[in-house]
Amino acid sequence: TEVSIDLSETYEPDYSILAVREISKTDTGNLFTQFSLFNTDKNNEERFIGNFGLGSRKLLYNDTMLAGINVFIDNDFNETTRRASLGLELKNAVLDFHSNMYAGIDDSTDEQVMDGWDYTLASQVPYLHWSKLFVSHYEWDGILRADVKGTKVGSEMILNPSVNLEFAYDDKDRKGLDDEWYAKIQFVHPPRNNGPTAMDGISDTAWNKNKDMSDELLSKVKRNNKIMIEFKGISTITRAD
């Protein structure tokens, strides 16, 4: 279970709770569910968004690589807007790739859900096995206005068994939308009982050796949990989760 606080230059803090639970497990993978609830601000109005997903993961190459597929439904409890997504992921001890496609299901009277997609590639930082650098690109299809595109560059760090830190710069390629720095502080319970953290300091080896990826079978799916909308002809973009 993860509790997160999202901080940015242009938005009020957002708070979220997220959980991943296993439905069934085999010798080579599993079936799991992920669900979350959080608040966010849209057009100076607080919203509550819920996400529910199902996923399947499979271990490959003597359990040193993990491949997964997932589907999600996102719901705005303050409006009738809903969205679905399909995601793919591939990761090993050093590299992490995931991509998602989003499609609107229901609009509200004043809001239209934007379709879109994103991808993220992350790599372990040499000698810092508890830290990753990532680059992420997203595109949202405009309905009444131009498309919204952007790129994020940042870092993820496991500070200790219970606390993660993520920070990044979000460069939005759209006039009228401000670029911004953001940070996320994530509290994990129960604490991790394996894997490196910042408390381990600098390693003697540059790269993490091929490891058994079984411990990642119940890691959270990385996606944008916030619904992108056009509100009365004005595009509103939120940072990814």
Side-chain angles (χ1 to χ4, degrees), residues 3 9 70 104 122 139 155 157-158 168 193 197 204 212 236:
V3 176
E9 293 182 294
N70 57 79
E139 295 191 12
S155 178
M157 293 172 284
I158 302 175
N193 56 12
T197 73
D204 294 332
D212 188 334
T236 302

Side-chain angles (χ1 to χ4, degrees), residues 12-66:
E12 293 294 323
D14 293 341
Y15 303 91
S16 66
I17 183 169
L18 179 148
V20 181
R21 295 292 183 266
E22 195 164 58
I23 298 174
S24 64
K25 186 176 182 179
T26 67
D27 292 338
T28 58
N30 69 346
L31 179 67
F32 65 94
T33 181
Q34 176 174 307
F35 44 93
S36 60
L37 178 68
F38 64 92
N39 71 309
T40 189
D41 181 82
K42 290 187 178 181
N43 200 40
N44 297 319
E45 178 184 351
E46 186 176 38
R47 302 291 184 86
F48 290 92
I49 310 295
N51 319 104
F52 177 80
L54 294 172
S56 177
R57 286 170 169 157
K58 186 175 180 63
L59 297 169
L60 307 170
Y61 301 108
N62 295 320
D63 299 344
T64 61
M65 182 174 290
L66 181 149

Side-chain angles (χ1 to χ4, degrees), residues 38-161:
F38 64 92
N39 71 309
T40 189
D41 181 82
K42 290 187 178 181
N43 200 40
N44 297 319
E45 178 184 351
E46 186 176 38
R47 302 291 184 86
F48 290 92
I49 310 295
N51 319 104
F52 177 80
L54 294 172
S56 177
R57 286 170 169 157
K58 186 175 180 63
L59 297 169
L60 307 170
Y61 301 108
N62 295 320
D63 299 344
T64 61
M65 182 174 290
L66 181 149
I69 185 171
N70 57 79
V71 292
F72 275 81
I73 295 293
D74 307 314
N75 180 71
D76 186 333
F77 291 108
N78 300 87
E79 291 287 345
T80 58
T81 51
R82 292 181 181 85
R83 186 185 70 181
S85 76
L86 172 67
L88 301 173
E89 56 185 344
L90 187 66
K91 62 177 72 176
N92 62 18
V94 175
L95 296 175
D96 183 346
F97 173 81
H98 57 270
S99 181
N100 302 280
M101 296 182 62
Y102 307 90
I105 298 176
D106 293 315
D107 300 324
S108 66
T109 303
D110 298 320
E111 301 176 3
Q112 294 178 287
V113 180
M114 302 175 73
D115 298 339
W117 60 272
D118 60 30
Y119 71 82
T120 300
L121 178 63
S123 172
Q124 178 220 303
V125 178
Y127 298 100
L128 302 178
H129 296 179
W130 43 270
S131 180
K132 288 185 177 182
L133 295 175
F134 69 85
V135 58
S136 178
H137 181 77
Y138 56 82
E139 295 191 12
W140 301 101
D141 300 331
I143 302 168
L144 302 175
R145 298 290 185 91
D147 295 348
V148 175
K149 303 177 182 180
T151 301
K152 295 182 292 180
V153 179
S155 178
E156 300 174 340
M157 293 172 284
I158 302 175
L159 301 183
N160 62 44

Side-chain angles (χ1 to χ4, degrees), residues 141-225:
D141 300 331
I143 302 168
L144 302 175
R145 298 290 185 91
D147 295 348
V148 175
K149 303 177 182 180
T151 301
K152 295 182 292 180
V153 179
S155 178
E156 300 174 340
M157 293 172 284
I158 302 175
L159 301 183
N160 62 44
S162 298
V163 181
N164 299 344
L165 174 64
E166 175 185 329
F167 66 90
Y169 183 72
D170 188 353
D171 182 9
K172 304 180 181 72
D173 184 20
R174 172 69 185 274
K175 185 177 180 180
L177 296 176
D178 295 329
D179 301 337
E180 63 173 341
W181 287 94
Y182 73 83
K184 297 181 182 180
I185 304 172
Q186 299 159 349
F187 302 92
V188 180
H189 184 80
R192 303 177 190 84
N193 56 12
N194 52 59
T197 73
M199 299 173 67
D200 298 318
I202 300 174
S203 174
D204 294 332
T205 58
W207 305 104
N208 202 352
K209 296 179 180 180
N210 287 339
K211 69 174 184 178
D212 188 334
M213 296 298 290
S214 300
D215 293 335
E216 297 294 321
L217 286 172
L218 288 178
S219 61
K220 73 174 180 180
V221 173
K222 295 182 179 180
R223 62 189 297 272
N224 188 336
N225 287 322

